[in-house]
Amino acid sequence: MEHLTVTAAQQCVLESVKLLGAESVKLEQLLGRVLAEDIRANRDQPPYDVSAMDGFALRSADVANAPATLEIIEDIKAGDMPQKTVQAGQCARIMTGAPVPPGADAVIRVEDTQAVSDTQVQINVIVKASNDIRPRGESMKNGEVVLQRGTEIIPGAVGMLAMVKRSTVQVYRQPRVAILSTGDELEGLNDPFDANKIPDANTYALMAQVQALGIEPVLLGIARDDPDELRRYLQDGLKYDVLLVSGGTSVGVHDYVRPTLEGLGVQMKFWRVEMKPGHPMAFGVKDSAFVFGLPGNPVSSMVCFEQFVLPALRRMMGFTRIHRRTITARLAQDVKHMHSRTEFVRVMLSREADGYAATPAGAQGSGILASMSRADGLMTVPADSKGMAAGDKVTVQLLDGTAYQIDAGGEW
Ligand code: AMP
Ligand code: MG
């Protein structure tokens, strides 16, 4: 129970967390949220048959043979309503998006015509019925579901919501997340410099990981390794949906986090995971609050966030795609694996002729943030691996930021 594999621990976390309730959010603030309602069209779009081109609306029967010369009876701009009916031998000058006038059954683009006079145009090509006409309701029909509950709101969905005039929408609530660091040795960002202390990196690295998911966390600060002080901080942290506490979760005599949480009524689900980095990793539940006891070492804490906290937060927010995207890459150099835990190796990715190459991003110690700060991804080394060799195919979880690259179609 207390010692779990990565997969089992992830499953335990994901079975425990629940989708949060819905809230009403303004269109301007919706990017990155998940719809908690079906969205229906409130009109046909386009509202009538419209021209797909700048050109001439005509009767296809008149241009069964080309070239043919037609009389121009009016000019129809987008936003205008046609005033006349197109009769045999006639056409109307029409702009993209303008309604096709009665009598006309096709549009020819201006590039396939040539002016004869102010009132006459020569059509150079044969035109078939319905050519370059966008029929009424082509984009959406009144009453149809245009976006389903559970849809991730990307810019295209924001455009669609504006198209159906939804100024507010029901989306799943975001979890309120609190972050707490623990340790007598920690020096706060604004504390005076002390060469004997260790700067509190975890508060801010975790903050950024939470922010990358679109959530603004609350920073609780640093609790000292003192049971009473820790208890006060943890009690405060349990008021949030999710509490991330780093350090003090191991088995040292001053590692009070686990017993203190238990004393506060938190049911610990597990407190060790067979992984590297990140061995001392605890997870507990109290009422509707979830606590992640993350390891103190900065890289361990970040890697545990990636494996357990990130999918949990995304599930709470209603996402279906809760995990980091993985890709297959070729390992650029040998990687040893001398233990029986799942290992996450910080790697940099580059594009090769036939895919991606993964190169370890530097020293992999669990406190060495330098390699984490330039990693494109985390390569998984399975627990039962006997080591990996250059050229092996490996699986890499993309870290945030790697969804972008330098050149279109080029290097990362
Ligand atoms: P712990 O799990 O408390 O034993 O901490 C393990 C290691 O991580 C120790 O070397 C700590 O100094 C370090 N550590 C703990 N918390 C932080 C933090 N917030 N920022 C940077 N390093 C930390
Ligand atoms: Mg500590």
Side-chain angles (χ1 to χ4, degrees), residues 181-182 185-186 198-203 246-250 255 280 295-298:
S181 286
T182 72
E185 77 281 26
L186 298 183
I198 293 176
D200 170 19
N202 294 358
T203 289
S246 70
T249 51
S250 197
D255 291 334
N297 276 307

Side-chain angles (χ1 to χ4, degrees), residues 58-61 63-66 106-108 123 125-129 131:
L58 47 71
R59 300 160 70 101
S60 54
V63 278
N65 296 303
V107 167
I108 185 67
I123 313 298
V125 295
I126 292 168
V127 185
K128 295 225 162 64
N131 186 64

